[in-house]
């Protein structure tokens, strides 16, 4: 009886027809609600040609596709195993399972990209169409189109998301990877918020990768609180979810260093948010994850004067009974760590 009572509200929820407040955003290709080719074409025109049909990265290597072509296939194989070039394609994720839907997908094997993962090529979990976004107004246009046609959207930068949140099947994807502008302001004036004015602020487009940010800000004598892997989207992904890295013990998480964001909210409005303007949204986007509350277009972050950092990597292999040797190695590391830290030496033992 208890079971029935608790089940009924659940059933009620799942059977309820979508209401105007919750339209479901579940229109799929092939259904009557799906936009006609002319409507997609009109969207493309209003986006100055930035709308594309999704082609998975591995597609040119699948014999069944009309794009089969040894040259583009070898380019796809090379891109597939190089994180930086892989991130420059909408039609992939870094964790192959998020590209696939059950047993369908179009991936190449990560250990050997000359081998196919599936017997035929399909979109898997990748969106149907994607917009190669070049400015905030493209995002507003995408959101209003998706709302009008009841289509799900997804937001993707490089595709590193460990939980696959950047790939949504049957979606219109907002791909922010090419919002790659970078600038440095020695004296930064926040938007209507004197409390957030600061020296040494970096501005990054949502698609900037960590490696590009490090090189750009280092050239201005500044460090940004990033992570380890260079091809990760530092603003639109890493810096929305928290952002732990080498500087965390010194300067806090990346979100602790956020000064101001430019975002597009679901109503299509472009907003500049900081501790004074839309403070709740600003708070939510510093840890709530990329895309949960609004689409980020620009990230303004507190930089720090560059520190010299020394790293080491101790690699050794021991044979036989290693217990005593390992104990000595680890003890020496532990005993010296404080002195090394004082000289900004960091590293690890493999
Ligand atoms: C956004 O870019 C398009 C070109 O793709 C251009 O026509 C449009 O004016 C731009 N909008 C803004 C607000 O910069
Ligand atoms: C949108 O227009 C561009 C430029 O003309 C074209 O390359 C692209 O294929 C078009 N997208 C779609 C979905 O037709
Ligand atoms: C490439 O990206 C994957 C997924 O994020 C990561 O596990 C791997 O360490 C990266 N490779 C290199 C060489 O950094
Ligand atoms: C990976 O690709 C990037 C950009 O395409 C290139 O600059 C880099 O040299 C490549 N790395 C390797 C290890 O081939
Ligand atoms: C910022 O402006 C103030 C006032 O003009 C100046 O004293 C200060 O040196 C500037 N800061 C930087 C980092 O340039
Ligand atoms: C390995 O060496 C440790 C310490 O030297 C000793 O306690 C242990 O019994 C040895 N183990 C084996 C399997 O010989």
């Amino acid at each position: 009886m208890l079971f029935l009572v608790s089940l009924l509200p659940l059933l009620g929820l799942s059977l309820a027809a979508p209401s105007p407040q919750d339209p479901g955003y579940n229109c799929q290709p092939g259904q009557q609600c799906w936009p006609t080719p002319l409507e997609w074409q009109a969207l493309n025109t209003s986006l100055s040609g930035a709308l594309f049909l999704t082609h998975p990265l591995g597609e040119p290597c699948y014999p069944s596709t009309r794009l089969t072509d040894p040259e583009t296939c070898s380019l796809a194989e090379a891109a597939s195993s190089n994180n930086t070039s892989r991130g420059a394609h909408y039609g992939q994720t870094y964790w192959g399972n998020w590209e696939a839907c059950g047993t369908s997908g179009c991936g190449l094997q990560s250990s050997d990209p000359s081998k196919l993962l599936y017997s035929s090529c399909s979109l898997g979990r990748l969106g149907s169409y994607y917009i190669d976004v070049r400015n905030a107004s493209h995002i507003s246009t995408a959101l209003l189109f998706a709302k009008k046609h009841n289509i799900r959207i997804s937001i993707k930068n490089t595709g590193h998301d460990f939980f696959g949140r950047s790939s949504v099947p049957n979606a219109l994807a907002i791909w922010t990877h090419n919002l790659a502008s970078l600038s440095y302001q020695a004296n930064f004036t926040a938007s209507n918020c004197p409390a957030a004015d600061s020296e040494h602020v970096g501005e990054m487009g949502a698609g900037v990768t960590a490696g590009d940010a490090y090189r750009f800000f280092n050239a201005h004598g500044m460090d940004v609180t990033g992570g380890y892997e260079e091809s990760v989207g530092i603003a639109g992904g890493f810096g929305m979810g928290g952002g732990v890295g080498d500087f965390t013990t010194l300067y806090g998480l990346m979100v602790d260093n956020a000064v101001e964001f430019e975002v597009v909210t679901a109503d299509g409005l472009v907003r500049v948010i900081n501790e004074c303007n839309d403070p709740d949204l600003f708070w939510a986007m510093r840890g709530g994850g990329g895309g949960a509350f609004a689409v980020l277009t620009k990230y303004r972050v507190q930089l720090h004067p560059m520190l010299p950092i020394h790293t080491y990597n101790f690699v050794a292999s021991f044979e036989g009974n290693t217990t005593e040797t390992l104990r000595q190695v680890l003890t020496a590391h532990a005993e010296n760590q404080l002195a090394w830290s004082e000289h900004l030496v960091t590293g690890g033992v493999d």
Side-chain angles (χ1 to χ4, degrees):
M1 196 56 207
L2 201 64
F3 171 70
L4 261 183
V5 168
S6 59
L7 192 64
L8 281 173
L10 279 180
L11 278 177
L13 260 184
S14 61
L15 294 177
S19 68
Q21 287 75 35
D22 176 18
Y25 297 108
N26 52 11
C27 181
Q28 297 185 13
Q31 294 180 340
Q32 213 162 14
C33 52
W34 194 252
T36 63
L38 271 179
E39 285 169 317
W40 285 112
Q41 208 182 333
L43 175 65
N44 199 14
T45 304
S46 68
L47 294 165
S48 316
L51 177 76
F52 297 93
L53 261 175
T54 298
H55 290 286
L57 175 59
E59 185 180 55
C61 301
Y62 277 73
S64 52
T65 59
R66 64 188 165 76
L67 290 178
T68 300
D69 161 8
E71 211 167 302
T72 49
C73 171
S74 60
L75 289 176
E77 286 171 6
S80 168
S81 49
N82 172 330
N83 278 2
T84 303
S85 33
R86 189 179 176 98
H89 290 263
Y90 169 73
Q92 60 79 34
T93 61
Y94 282 86
W95 306 95
N97 50 322
W98 298 123
E99 261 179 59
C101 189
T103 54
S104 67
C106 196
L108 307 176
Q109 290 189 16
S110 53
S111 53
D112 180 0
S114 71
K115 297 204 172 90
L116 306 178
L117 268 178
Y118 306 97
S119 52
S120 63
C121 174
S122 71
L123 283 184
R125 285 177 55 93
L126 297 170
S128 309
Y129 284 88
Y130 69 93
I131 299 171
D132 181 358
V133 169
R134 300 299 169 136
N135 61 34
S137 75
H138 287 168
I139 298 173
S140 308
T141 305
L143 293 171
L144 298 177
F145 183 86
K147 191 174 280 185
K148 179 174 169 203
H149 294 282
N150 201 26
I151 295 173
R152 189 150 296 196
I153 57 140
S154 64
I155 304 156
K156 179 174 178 192
N157 182 7
T158 57
H160 274 280
D161 193 302
F162 195 68
F163 303 106
R165 289 170 294 191
S166 55
S167 64
V168 176
N170 305 313
L172 170 60
I174 293 171
W175 188 45
T176 60
H177 186 68
N178 288 314
L179 290 176
S181 64
L182 278 159
S183 68
Y184 163 69
Q185 288 168 49
N187 259 310
F188 170 74
T189 308
S191 172
N192 299 317
C193 189
D197 289 353
S198 182
E199 288 187 332
H200 309 307
V201 168
E203 181 186 291
M204 301 181 283
V208 165
T209 57
D212 286 344
Y214 301 154
R215 282 182 285 273
F216 180 84
F217 294 126
N218 282 178
H220 290 279
M222 292 288 143
D223 279 326
V224 60
T225 44
Y228 155 73
E229 221 281 280
E230 284 211 352
S231 68
V232 166
I234 189 172
F238 180 84
M240 302 265 88
V244 180
D246 286 346
F247 290 121
T248 298
T249 48
L250 214 48
Y251 306 129
L253 301 169
M254 174 118 179
V255 291
D256 298 325
N257 289 274
V259 174
E260 187 170 271
F261 299 145
E262 182 193 86
V263 304
V264 187
T265 41
D267 52 10
L269 285 183
V270 181
R271 297 167 199 259
V272 176
I273 63 172
N274 51 37
E275 63 180 87
C276 311
N277 307 310
D278 290 310
D280 287 348
L281 183 58
F282 186 58
W283 181 83
M285 290 188 74
R286 284 176 295 150
F293 295 95
V295 189
L296 181 93
T297 47
K298 285 180 185 154
Y299 198 117
R300 299 184 183 120
V301 66
Q302 182 64 58
L303 304 171
H304 304 277
M306 222 161 105
L307 286 176
I309 296 181
H310 313 279
T311 63
Y312 69 85
N313 208 10
F314 182 85
V315 184
S317 64
F318 306 103
E319 286 173 2
N321 184 349
T322 61
T323 310
E324 183 52 28
T325 320
L326 276 178
R327 199 178 63 77
Q328 285 174 11
V329 168
L330 290 174
T331 303
H333 270 87
E335 282 173 355
N336 286 295
Q337 194 58 60
L338 272 181
W340 291 343
S341 297
E342 276 160 17
H343 294 91
L344 299 168
V345 175
T346 175
V349 182
D350 283 341

